[in-house]
């Protein structure tokens, strides 16, 4: 059986000599020391133990330091649990807020939707009525106004008469131009196309040197576009090229004039042309009946 000395000294036991033993036993001890004892043979070489196994083999501290460590670990677990519960509570609250609404909210939302639908219906009804009234006015004006369908090139003394002596329902557009300006030539070309599409609009052109305009106006304000109706100015545009560029097409000028409500829309003009053709056909039928 291993003694206390064996446990304390381990494999260095061969270097320990007890003074209590007889010197006569020295030779026996030397002989015994030359051969490993059973306890010494039981001592093994150092073995590497992984950290996880080492932690599992370590004993729990029961002193003050062990109590403090346990308390800190308990607080840590308690905080983690509280944070997890708070996160779950927020997630549940958000889910309920997104999916659940009170009856009052439902009624309010339904009322807003109904008001929005009613507003759309009212807007559509208003627009429909406005278009009918507008078309009725245009038809009335068309019946009492002459048809042009071409561009009128005015002389200086004809400028005022072409405006003041015209029917009060007729829109008169006057282009003041010079031949050496590219944008002026573009406007003249657009007038030729628009006069055919809008036969009830009076398109006129006049050279700047034939009317009383200053030299600075001729050099810096052309092409100029003036719009009248009933002798009143509806639009006054100088340097139209600033808006449309130096070279443009009739649909560009048409959109520009429609944007300023100086020409009817495509839909209105189509309905007006249809009405004009119907009226002309009715007049022809009446003439045939009289014959």
């Amino acid at each position: 059986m291993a003694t206390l000395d064996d446990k304390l000294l381990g494999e260095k036991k061969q270097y320990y000599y007890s003074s209590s033993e007889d010197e006569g036993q020295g030779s026996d001890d030397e002989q015994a020391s030359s051969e490993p004892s059973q306890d010494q043979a039981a001592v093994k070489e150092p073995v590497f133990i992984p950290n996880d196994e080492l932690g599992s083999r370590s004993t729990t501290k029961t002193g003050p330091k062990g109590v403090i460590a346990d308390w800190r670990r308990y607080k840590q677990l308690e905080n983690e649990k509280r944070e997890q519960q708070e996160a779950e509570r927020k997630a549940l609250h958000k889910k309920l807020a997104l999916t659940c609404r009170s009856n009052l909210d439902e009624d309010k939302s339904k009322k807003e939707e109904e008001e929005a639908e009613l507003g759309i219906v009212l807007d559509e009804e208003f627009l429909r009525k406005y278009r009918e009234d507008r078309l009725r006015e245009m038809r009335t004006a068309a019946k009492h106004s002459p048809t042009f369908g071409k561009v009128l090139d005015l002389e200086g003394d004809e400028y005022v008469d072409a405006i003041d002596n015209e029917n009060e329902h007729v829109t008169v557009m006057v282009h003041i131009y010079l031949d050496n300006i590219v944008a002026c030539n573009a406007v003249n070309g657009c007038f030729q196309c628009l006069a055919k599409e809008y036969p009830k609009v009076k398109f006129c052109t006049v050279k700047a040197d034939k009317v009383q305009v200053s030299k600075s106006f001729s050099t810096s304000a052309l092409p100029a576009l003036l719009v009248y109706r009933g002798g009143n100015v509806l639009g006054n545009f100088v340097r139209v090229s600033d808006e449309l560029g130096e070279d443009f097409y009739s649909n560009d000028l048409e959109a520009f004039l429609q944007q300023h409500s100086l020409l009817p829309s495509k839909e209105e003009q189509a309905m007006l042309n249809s009405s004009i053709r119907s009226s002309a056909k009715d007049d022809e039928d009446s003439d045939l009946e009289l014959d």
Side-chain angles (χ1 to χ4, degrees):
M1 181 176 182
T3 62
L4 179 61
D5 290 342
D6 295 336
K7 293 181 179 180
L8 293 176
L9 297 179
E11 58 185 12
K12 293 184 178 181
K13 181 181 177 182
Q14 65 269 24
Y15 300 108
Y16 174 74
Y17 296 92
S18 175
S19 58
S20 62
E21 296 179 352
D22 296 334
E23 293 181 355
Q25 295 177 350
S27 60
D28 295 336
D29 292 339
E30 290 178 1
Q31 184 178 0
S33 63
S34 61
E35 296 180 0
S37 63
Q38 184 177 0
D39 294 335
Q40 291 175 349
V43 177
K44 299 181 179 178
E45 293 295 328
V47 179
F48 174 75
I49 302 176
N51 291 333
D52 53 351
E53 296 183 7
L54 184 61
S56 62
R57 297 184 182 184
S58 59
T59 57
T60 304
K61 297 180 180 179
T62 58
K65 292 184 178 180
V67 174
I68 292 174
D70 292 341
W71 180 81
R72 288 177 178 175
R73 179 57 179 168
Y74 168 75
K75 285 296 182 182
Q76 180 182 359
L77 295 175
E78 189 179 43
N79 292 335
E80 291 177 356
K81 184 177 181 180
R82 188 184 301 111
E83 291 175 357
Q84 183 179 1
Q85 292 176 347
E86 182 68 16
E88 292 176 355
R89 186 187 66 81
K90 290 181 177 180
L92 180 61
H93 177 73
K94 184 177 180 180
K95 182 178 180 181
L96 294 175
L98 292 175
T99 57
C100 298
R101 292 190 299 179
S102 63
N103 293 333
L104 182 61
D105 293 336
E106 291 288 348
D107 295 340
K108 183 178 179 181
S109 177
K110 186 176 181 180
K111 184 177 180 181
E112 291 177 352
E113 291 177 358
E114 291 177 353
E115 290 178 351
E117 292 177 358
L118 181 60
I120 293 174
V121 173
L122 291 176
D123 290 342
E124 292 178 352
E125 182 67 21
F126 173 78
L127 290 175
R128 185 185 62 80
K129 188 175 184 303
Y130 171 77
R131 289 173 182 172
E132 291 178 354
D133 294 342
R134 170 69 173 162
L135 184 59
R136 188 179 303 108
E137 292 176 358
M138 292 173 63
R139 287 174 178 172
T140 303
K143 289 181 180 180
H144 298 86
S145 61
T147 301
F148 303 96
K150 63 180 181 179
V151 179
L152 304 178
D153 193 9
L154 304 177
E155 296 296 332
D157 55 351
E158 298 175 340
Y159 178 81
V160 177
D161 292 338
I163 298 170
D164 293 340
N165 297 333
E166 191 53 73
N167 186 294
E168 62 179 357
H169 298 292
V170 174
T171 300
V172 182
M173 295 193 181
V174 181
H175 174 218
I176 302 176
Y177 71 99
L178 285 176
D179 291 330
N180 59 348
I181 299 177
V182 177
C184 289
N185 296 329
V187 174
N188 286 338
C190 294
F191 266 31
Q192 295 293 335
C193 297
L194 295 177
K196 297 178 181 179
E197 294 185 20
Y198 300 90
K200 292 296 182 177
V201 178
K202 188 175 182 180
F203 291 90
C204 306
T205 59
V206 60
K207 284 189 176 181
D209 53 9
K210 292 183 179 181
V211 293
Q212 296 178 356
V213 294
S214 63
K215 185 177 180 179
S216 61
F217 182 89
S218 299
T219 56
S220 61
L222 302 182
L225 188 60
L226 308 177
V227 185
Y228 302 88
R229 185 185 298 146
N232 300 317
V233 179
L234 300 181
N236 184 6
F237 307 98
V238 296
R239 291 188 64 86
V240 180
S241 55
D242 291 344
E243 293 286 339
L244 303 177
E246 293 295 330
D247 190 14
F248 45 89
Y249 299 95
S250 61
N251 57 344
D252 299 322
L253 182 58
E254 180 184 25
F256 175 77
L257 295 173
Q258 289 174 344
Q259 181 181 356
H260 293 85
S261 301
L262 299 175
L263 281 180
S265 64
K266 288 283 189 181
E267 180 183 357
E268 291 175 341
Q269 187 59 33
M271 296 176 68
L272 180 61
N273 291 340
S274 177
S275 177
I276 293 173
R277 287 192 295 268
S278 298
S279 299
K281 185 177 180 181
D282 293 340
D283 293 341
E284 291 178 0
D285 294 340
S286 298
D287 294 339
L288 290 175
E289 291 177 359
L290 291 174
D291 294 340

